[in-house]
C-alpha cells in the first residue's frame, strides 16, 4: 500500500453528495496533483482526507491504517497536515504566532528548532517574524500557511490552491518551495487550478470532474498535453 490510499470515496456535506467513488494514491516522497474545474470537489476531497467532510462510503488509509473515521487532530498526529484554500492564516497574529499555532501537536522543547527549520526553507518569512500576517504579500501569506502546516512535522502535506491570486513570479517561487519540501522527504497532495503549474511539480496528476476522477496522467506524456489543451479550450472531457 502507498502512504495515502483513498478507495471508492463517496463524500459530501449533509444531503449533498460531492465525491462519487474517488480513488487515488500518494506514495512516499511523491508530489501528486489534483486538477479540475471550480466545484469539481477538489476541496471536498482534501476535507474528506482530513476528516472535515462527511464520508458516506469508501475508505481512507494512511500508512496502511484505516483512518476513515478518525478525528482530524488524530490524523495530524499521525503525520497529515493541511493548508486550506481560505482562512489559512490568522491575519491579526504575527508570523511567529501563526507558526507556533501550527505546532500544537509538538513537544515544546523542540519548537525553537522547528521554527528555525521552516525559516531556513522560507527566509522571506524569517525577517518578518514579528509582522502581522495581514501585512504580508499574497505570496508570503501562502508561504506562511504552508510553513504553519509544516510545523506539525507532517509526512504528507495537503495544499489547496496555494498559487491562487499570486503573480506568475510568486507562483513559480512557491512551486519551487514545494520541490524543496519534497526533497526533505515530505509527500505532497496539491490541488491546483493551473494545469501547467500542477504538471511542473507533480509526479502524477489526477483530473477530477463533477466529483469523479476522469483521468490520471504522467507529466510530459502526450495524454497530459491533451489534458492541458482541454483546460485551455474549456472543452469537457467525458
Ligand atoms: N461546507 C460545505 N457545505 C455544503 N456544500 C459545500 C461545502 N463546501 C463545498 N460545498 C459544495 O460542494 C461542491 C464542491 O465544492 P468544492 O469541493 O469546494 O469544489 P472545488 O474545490 O473543486 O471548487 C460545490 O457544489 C459546493 O457548493
Ligand atoms: Mg476548492
Amino acid at each position: 500500500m502507498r502512504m495515502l490510499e483513498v478507495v471508492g470515496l463517496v463524500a459530501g456535506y449533509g444531503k449533498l453528495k460531492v465525491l462519487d467513488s474517488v480513488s487515488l494514491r500518494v506514495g512516499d516522497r511523491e508530489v501528486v496533483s489534483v486538477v479540475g474545474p471550480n466545484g469539481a470537489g477538489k476541496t471536498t476531497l482534501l476535507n474528506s482526507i482530513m476528516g472535515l467532510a462527511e464520508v458516506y462510503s469508501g475508505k481512507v488509509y494512511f500508512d496502511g491504517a484505516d483512518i476513515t473515521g478518525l478525528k482530524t487532530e488524530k490524523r495530524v498526529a499521525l503525520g497529515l497536515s493541511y493548508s486550506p484554500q481560505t482562512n489559512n492564516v490568522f491575519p491579526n497574529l504575527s508570523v511567529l504566532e501563526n507558526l507556533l499555532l501550527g505546532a500544537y501537536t509538538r513537544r515544546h522543547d523542540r519548537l525553537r528548532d522547528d521554527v528555525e527549520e521552516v525559516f531556513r526553507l522560507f527566509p522571506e518569512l524569517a525577517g518578518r517574524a514579528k509582522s502581522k500576517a495581514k501585512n504580508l504579500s499574497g505570496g508570503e501569506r501562502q508561504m506562511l500557511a504552508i510553513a504553519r502546516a509544516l510545523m506539525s512535522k507532517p509526512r504528507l502535506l495537503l495544499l489547496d490552491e496555494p498559487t491562487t491570486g499570486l503573480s506568475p513570479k510568486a507562483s513559480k517561487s512557491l512551486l519551487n518551495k514545494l520541490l524543496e519540501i519534497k526533497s526533505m522527504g515530505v509527500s505532497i497532495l496539491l490541488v491546483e487550478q493551473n494545469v501547467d503549474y500542477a504538471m511542473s511539480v507533480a509526479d502524477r496528476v489526477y483530473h477530477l470532474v463533477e466529483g469523479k476522477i476522469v483521468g490520471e496522467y504522467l507529466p510530459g506524456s502526450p495524454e497530459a498535453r491533451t489534458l492541458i489543451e482541454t483546460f485551455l479550450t474549456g472543452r469537457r472531457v467525458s
Side-chain angles (χ1 to χ4, degrees), residues 182-198:
K182 175 190 179 183
S183 74
M184 290 160 50
V186 179
S187 298
I188 298 175
L189 181 56
L190 169 70
V191 163
E192 251 303 335
Q193 283 262 2
N194 183 313
V195 184
D196 280 324
Y197 290 170

Side-chain angles (χ1 to χ4, degrees), residues 42-84:
K42 304 182 297 298
T43 297
T44 303
L45 173 62
L46 298 187
N47 283 345
S48 307
I49 295 167
M50 289 310 290
L52 299 167
E54 219 170 305
V55 172
Y56 309 114
S57 62
K59 295 282 184 195
V60 181
Y61 298 94
F62 186 65
D63 279 341
D66 181 354
I67 64 163
T68 318
L70 278 193
K71 288 204 171 117
T72 302
E73 58 262 35
K74 291 246 170 71
R75 299 181 200 223
V76 175
L78 286 176
L80 285 151
S81 194
Y82 187 19
S83 176

Side-chain angles (χ1 to χ4, degrees), residues 9-10 38-39 48 60 80 134 181 190 206 216 222 231:
L9 202 66
V10 181
N38 247 329
S48 307
V60 181
L80 285 151
K134 68 179 174 195
I181 292 169
L190 169 70
Y206 291 97
E216 178 182 344
F231 258 74

Side-chain angles (χ1 to χ4, degrees), residues 80-143:
L80 285 151
S81 194
Y82 187 19
S83 176
Q85 189 168 5
T86 53
N87 302 324
N88 53 19
V89 297
F90 293 94
N92 286 311
L93 297 183
S94 71
V95 165
L96 184 60
E97 287 163 341
N98 268 282
L99 292 178
L100 293 177
L101 281 175
Y104 65 97
T105 58
R106 297 279 297 161
R107 276 176 50 181
H108 284 246
D109 56 346
R110 299 270 167 77
L111 288 185
R112 181 187 287 266
D113 289 346
D114 293 351
V115 169
E116 273 173 18
E117 196 178 339
V118 297
F119 279 163
R120 266 197 297 279
L121 181 63
F122 297 108
E124 301 86 343
L125 298 176
R128 312 214 48 189
K130 291 187 175 141
S131 304
K132 286 192 174 175
K134 68 179 174 195
N135 295 326
L136 300 177
S137 69
E140 289 167 342
R141 212 174 304 175
Q142 282 301 338
M143 287 185 191

Side-chain angles (χ1 to χ4, degrees), residues 195 225-237:
V195 184
R225 178 124 305 276
T226 308
L227 172 68
I228 293 178
E229 280 159 12
T230 304
F231 258 74
L232 292 177
T233 57
R235 246 187 314 121
R236 278 279 305 283
V237 171

